[in-house]
Amino acid sequence: MNELLDMGGYAIFVWSSYGIFFFSLVIFFLINILNLRKYEKIFNKTKKKID
Amino acid sequence: MYIKINNNHIELIKSANPYLIFATIFVFIIGLYYSLFQSPPDYIQGDSMRIMYIHVPSAWFALMTYSILAGSCVLWFITRNPLFNVVARSIAQVGMVFTLMSLITGSIWGKPTWGVWWVWDARLTSMLILFFLYIAYIFLWQAISNKELASKISAALAIIGFINIPIIKFSVDWWNTLHQPASISKLSTPSIDISMLIPLFIMTIACFLFLVTVSLIRFRLVLIENKMLRTIN
């Protein structure tokens, strides 16, 4: 386990790369899915008002 | 040729969404297992080489997405079908994220390999230009209130910027760069071992699934934005 965490002395580089990569993808995904839900709500409300 | 999106298409995209999210997570988990546990360390670079499994797919999809973006803009100019404009706007942000990831992971990989975080060599500089092209495309569309004009200007920029794609691809052959040449090309057998090729392949599929999943979410988002703009106007 320690060997895996140590990454042959490159732990800081490997784990930070993977961390930044997956954190960014998750945040980007969440921003878009939440924005979609928000816009869908606003659009449906506006549509109901117009109808 | 005038392709139109109707409610059935939207419902189909909506219903595919949970499956795509599940598939993306599943393939990423397998990819991580192979990248971090199964793949052997490189005999020169050691374990720092594992950064390749996220850096290379990011760079590939940064280029592929820009090619689709520029292609959609060309088709929009020819046909004036708004669908191509929606496609271009849907994938631009995903491409920007992949370009940024490619730059960041490349920079982190560069420190233990080259001894520096950044060098102004042809490959790195042209990738940075690609990142700025994505930003320019996204912000131009948002900054111009006349959306017809915004579409024209941003599409023109995307098409002109496409000249950067072959420069990125062949920069390592045309100039003396610190960046290594391509290890995998269509015309030759890969110069990396199969034990490293498998995790790279799995992570590439995972990144592709992510690209498709988020692009389809953004596609729905851009369509709603367009509908709202039409309602306001």
Side-chain angles (χ1 to χ4, degrees):
Chain A
M1 190 66 187
N2 274 345
E3 210 175 285
L4 172 78
L5 290 175
D6 187 50
M7 282 285 163
Y10 294 109
I12 186 79
F13 301 107
V14 177
W15 292 116
S16 63
S17 301
Y18 277 79
I20 292 168
F21 180 78
F22 282 103
F23 179 77
S24 306
L25 294 198
V26 169
I27 293 293
F28 181 64
F29 170 78
L30 288 176
I31 288 172
N32 279 293
I33 200 103
L34 292 176
N35 263 343
L36 177 66
R37 281 186 190 159
K38 189 177 90 181
Y39 274 70
E40 273 177 343
K41 260 186 193 170
I42 297 169
F43 180 71
N44 289 336
K45 265 186 189 172
T46 319
K47 210 177 153 189
K48 266 182 193 171
K49 269 185 189 172
I50 292 168
D51 291 341
Chain B
M1 186 186 70
Y2 198 90
I3 310 157
K4 221 178 167 191
I5 291 285
N6 59 35
N7 282 341
N8 289 342
H9 295 124
I10 299 294
E11 283 307 314
L12 190 72
I13 293 170
K14 243 184 190 178
S15 59
N17 202 31
Y19 298 105
L20 280 169
I21 294 169
F22 176 77
T24 308
I25 295 169
F26 182 70
V27 180
F28 261 131
I29 290 169
I30 297 173
L32 274 175
Y33 172 72
Y34 272 89
S35 307
L36 298 170
F37 297 96
Q38 284 291 314
S39 157
D42 182 70
Y43 81 106
I44 294 173
Q45 296 185 36
D47 283 295
S48 72
M49 178 278 306
R50 293 183 199 278
I51 298 170
M52 173 185 76
Y53 302 126
I54 47 174
H55 171 73
V56 172
S58 300
W60 281 344
F61 288 115
L63 299 189
M64 194 189 91
T65 308
Y66 196 88
S67 304
I68 298 170
L69 170 69
S72 301
C73 290
V74 169
L75 288 171
W76 178 77
F77 263 121
I78 296 168
T79 63
R80 290 298 160 137
N81 185 339
L83 176 68
F84 295 117
N85 193 12
V86 173
V87 170
R89 284 175 52 214
S90 308
I91 60 165
Q93 286 193 9
V94 194
M96 187 195 73
V97 167
F98 274 124
T99 312
L100 184 64
M101 287 306 105
S102 164
L103 287 168
I104 292 173
T105 56
S107 177
I108 296 171
W109 193 10
K111 183 63 182 166
T113 314
W114 302 332
V116 285
W117 296 102
W118 181 266
V119 279
W120 292 100
D121 89 347
R123 171 60 69 87
L124 276 74
T125 310
S126 51
M127 272 311 271
L128 186 65
I129 291 169
L130 181 70
F131 178 64
F132 289 137
L133 281 168
Y134 274 120
I135 289 184
Y137 176 85
I138 294 161
F139 283 97
L140 259 180
W141 204 91
Q142 286 175 354
I144 303 168
S145 54
N146 179 344
K147 292 304 169 196
E148 181 64 24
L149 182 68
S151 301
K152 275 182 195 167
I153 294 175
S154 52
L157 174 92
I159 294 165
I160 294 164
F162 185 73
I163 199 162
N164 192 38
I165 299 298
I167 293 174
I168 295 171
K169 175 82 182 84
F170 298 109
S171 57
V172 286
D173 304 319
W174 292 342
W175 292 284
N176 266 332
T177 64
L178 210 50
H179 197 283
Q180 67 167 69
S183 303
I184 300 163
S185 98
K186 270 185 185 173
L187 302 171
S188 62
T189 49
S191 60
I192 62 171
D193 189 71
I194 189 78
S195 59
M196 295 170 179
L197 210 55
I198 290 169
L200 182 62
F201 179 68
I202 298 170
M203 288 302 267
T204 304
I205 293 173
C207 286
F208 177 72
L209 284 168
F210 180 83
L211 171 76
V212 174
T213 307
V214 182
S215 296
L216 288 177
I217 289 170
R218 286 203 46 76
F219 185 79
R220 284 161 60 198
L221 186 63
V222 173
L223 277 180
I224 291 177
E225 273 177 3
N226 279 2
K227 279 181 190 170
M228 283 169 79
L229 276 173
R230 274 202 302 269
T231 314
I232 292 163
N233 294 328

